[in-house]
Amino acid sequence: MSRVVHFEISVADPPRAVSFYQHVFGWEIREWDGPSEYWLVITGDDDTVGINGGFVHRENSIAGSVNLIDVPSLDHALVRVVEADGTIIHSRSTVQGVGYVAYCRDTEGNAFGLIELDETAS
């Protein structure tokens, strides 16, 4: 069974968003050292219930907030989305050192992400 493993929140002003979420929730937020601008959001210890996420620039975002669901095969999951009358709104792309992602809409118009984790992705 596939699970939600990550969330993304689109932001127009990353420093302002960092300040807000740190103040309100006490989240640890740090800039990712990957190939694109992205901020990692740590919402708690790994041994507690919950997931971590990230901030993405609003102009690079598919939606205001989106959950990413871990799948064993991104290509197979995309086929199943289309078979179930969903739509692909951003095709497969590589996140270096993390894996492969795509973004879709369900039959209700809700955006969601799919991620196939693969640390060797380049």
Side-chain angles (χ1 to χ4, degrees), residues 26-79:
W27 290 351
E28 176 189 339
I29 303 167
R30 62 180 182 272
E31 194 163 354
W32 184 46
D33 63 355
S36 59
E37 279 193 310
Y38 196 83
W39 290 260
L40 299 172
V41 177
I42 310 302
T43 63
D45 297 327
D46 287 340
D47 59 348
T48 59
V49 176
I51 61 172
N52 297 316
F55 292 155
V56 61
H57 273 287
R58 182 157 292 139
E59 65 268 9
N60 298 330
S61 178
I62 301 301
S65 180
V66 65
N67 292 310
L68 278 80
I69 301 166
D70 179 28
V71 295
S73 167
L74 182 58
D75 294 334
H76 290 144
L78 290 171
V79 168

